[in-house]
Amino acid sequence: MTRTPLVLGVLLAATSSAHAGKLCLVSGTEVTLHGVTVKPSGEDPFEVSLHKVPASAEVPARCGGPITVHVTGAVELTARREDIWFRLSSDVRSPDGLVTAEKGAQVIDLCMRGDQVFGSAVMYADDVLEGEAKRPDILVRDVEIPCGSLTLDLVETTDPEPTAVDLADTDTHRYWELRNDDTLRVTLHARPNLKAKRRVVESPSCSGCIYLRQIALKKGWVKVASDGEGVTATGWVPTSKLKRIPDHTLVGHSYMCTGDHPGDNTFGFGGTPPGVKREGTVWSGTVIYASEGSGEWGRFALATRVTVRIQQGASWAQLTAVPGLDAAPGYVPVDTLTLDP
């Protein structure tokens, strides 16, 4: 049997880096991503979930464009996803000083503008698990982020769990909210001037969720801070757009887990495939196909323990369990397997 080697063109980087050609490649050693899209050669695309695998992601040159993901390690493949939640590996402060984000904060909507990476810093996200692609409840847009401060890995933080603030605890806690309950964004100005540099804090799916902590007052203006999940945006807002939250009021956001979340830990489509379930080791260099002999989409870069289903006398085995990958159609030639007795 003749098999054509699969050329994946995997880009490798030990750390995030900016290169000539305006490329920012962000890497991680234990990356979890649900619902990345793989396009096999000559076959329909499908989605696969990644669990704690080494991978890197290319920040797109077009804002809103899909992100290319290169998976390395035991299995190599190239996939795409519409957006990814990245984390900060160090503290970041925007050049204008209006936004600060601590190590471990999350950023989305990344893209390149010239040689600079821009993104949205997440300030509140309820019911979002690691690797999901949901939209956050509150974010601040257009934050400059050094490529070297980005990672795909989880980052340990020292911040305590967010809690509600009791305004009765101290006179220094004064909070404001948007005057119109249906307003989903607020513009923060660098100075008490409508023409000054600005930042926009949005709550696209959470009306009435933006709370603003008072820092200073000036005639017709309030200097405020919006805080959440390691991110702080500060600026001046016209008093006419805000209303004071009464004292003795709790201010904060709730966190809970509801509904369905991805991660079924299965491999393959269409229920139980025919044949006998066997365990064994697939050889290094073995190509993974979407169907028997068609649709190359990945390669085993290392000898790997797998579970397969094999029919007697068949030339192909269907993968049913591969470390780090879920919910993908996969076939390998039987002669690339060393099966357990």
Side-chain angles (χ1 to χ4, degrees):
M1 180 184 297
T2 301
R3 291 183 291 276
T4 303
L6 177 65
V7 180
L8 294 172
V10 176
L11 300 178
L12 301 179
T15 58
S16 307
S17 56
H19 306 282
K22 304 175 183 178
L23 172 66
C24 174
L25 192 65
V26 183
S27 65
T29 57
E30 292 189 337
V31 180
T32 295
L33 290 173
H34 298 291
V36 298
T37 300
V38 177
K39 179 62 176 74
S41 174
E43 298 276 347
D44 292 334
F46 62 87
E47 289 190 351
V48 62
S49 292
L50 313 175
H51 294 276
K52 295 186 176 181
V53 297
S56 58
E58 297 179 34
V59 175
R62 178 176 62 85
C63 294
I67 297 174
T68 299
V69 180
H70 304 283
V71 180
T72 55
V75 177
E76 294 180 347
L77 62 95
T78 297
R80 284 191 167 193
R81 204 169 85 163
E82 291 303 312
D83 199 9
I84 291 176
W85 290 52
F86 297 84
R87 290 184 184 271
L88 297 182
S89 57
S90 61
D91 295 348
V92 169
R93 181 183 178 89
S94 64
D96 57 18
L98 293 180
V99 179
T100 58
E102 300 175 3
K103 176 182 176 181
Q106 300 181 98
V107 291
I108 59 173
D109 304 329
L110 291 189
C111 66
M112 300 294 300
R113 295 179 188 168
D115 294 325
Q116 180 65 56
V117 179
F118 284 80
S120 300
V122 176
M123 307 183 77
Y124 171 45
D126 185 28
D127 196 29
V128 180
L129 300 184
E130 183 68 17
E132 287 189 309
K134 294 181 179 179
R135 297 297 297 175
D137 299 283
I138 301 179
L139 53 82
V140 54
R141 292 191 178 275
D142 295 325
V143 181
E144 300 92 332
I145 304 166
C147 181
S149 295
L150 292 164
T151 180
L152 289 174
D153 282 329
L154 283 171
V155 177
E156 184 176 353
T157 64
T158 57
D159 291 342
E161 185 74 13
T163 57
V165 176
D166 187 349
L167 302 191
D169 288 346
T170 170
D171 292 337
T172 62
H173 280 119
R174 298 187 184 279
Y175 278 76
W176 298 70
E177 60 185 343
L178 304 182
R179 183 169 296 278
N180 297 324
D181 293 337
D182 60 347
T183 302
L184 300 179
R185 66 179 62 191
V186 60
T187 301
L188 308 179
H189 300 266
R191 294 178 290 106
N193 187 317
L194 293 176
K195 295 182 179 180
K197 288 185 177 180
R198 65 194 68 185
R199 297 283 175 167
V200 176
V201 175
E202 295 185 0
S203 58
S205 61
C206 186
S207 178
C209 286
I210 297 178
Y211 305 114
L212 303 168
R213 175 169 50 87
Q214 178 180 312
I215 298 176
L217 289 172
K218 191 172 184 178
K219 185 177 180 181
W221 292 82
V222 187
K223 187 175 184 180
V224 296
S226 180
D227 308 283
E229 302 193 11
V231 178
T232 300
T234 60
W236 292 87
V237 181
T239 310
S240 60
K241 295 184 179 296
L242 304 176
K243 59 182 178 181
R244 272 285 312 278
I245 296 177
D247 293 341
H248 307 284
T249 303
L250 288 174
V251 174
H253 300 113
S254 62
Y255 287 82
M256 65 181 66
C257 183
T258 60
D260 297 326
H261 295 276
D264 57 8
N265 296 313
T266 61
F267 202 89
F269 288 154
T272 303
V276 178
K277 186 176 181 180
R278 299 287 300 274
E279 295 183 352
T281 300
V282 64
W283 301 350
S284 173
T286 298
V287 174
I288 308 173
Y289 297 83
S291 58
E292 295 184 1
S294 176
E296 303 174 7
W297 63 265
R299 180 174 68 88
F300 286 96
L302 303 172
T304 305
R305 295 285 299 174
V306 296
T307 303
V308 298
R309 279 194 174 269
I310 304 176
Q311 296 187 66
Q312 186 175 3
S315 300
W316 293 87
Q318 183 174 12
L319 297 164
T320 61
V322 175
L325 300 180
D326 284 352
Y331 290 83
V332 295
V334 169
D335 60 7
T336 63
L337 289 163
T338 301
L339 299 174
D340 296 347

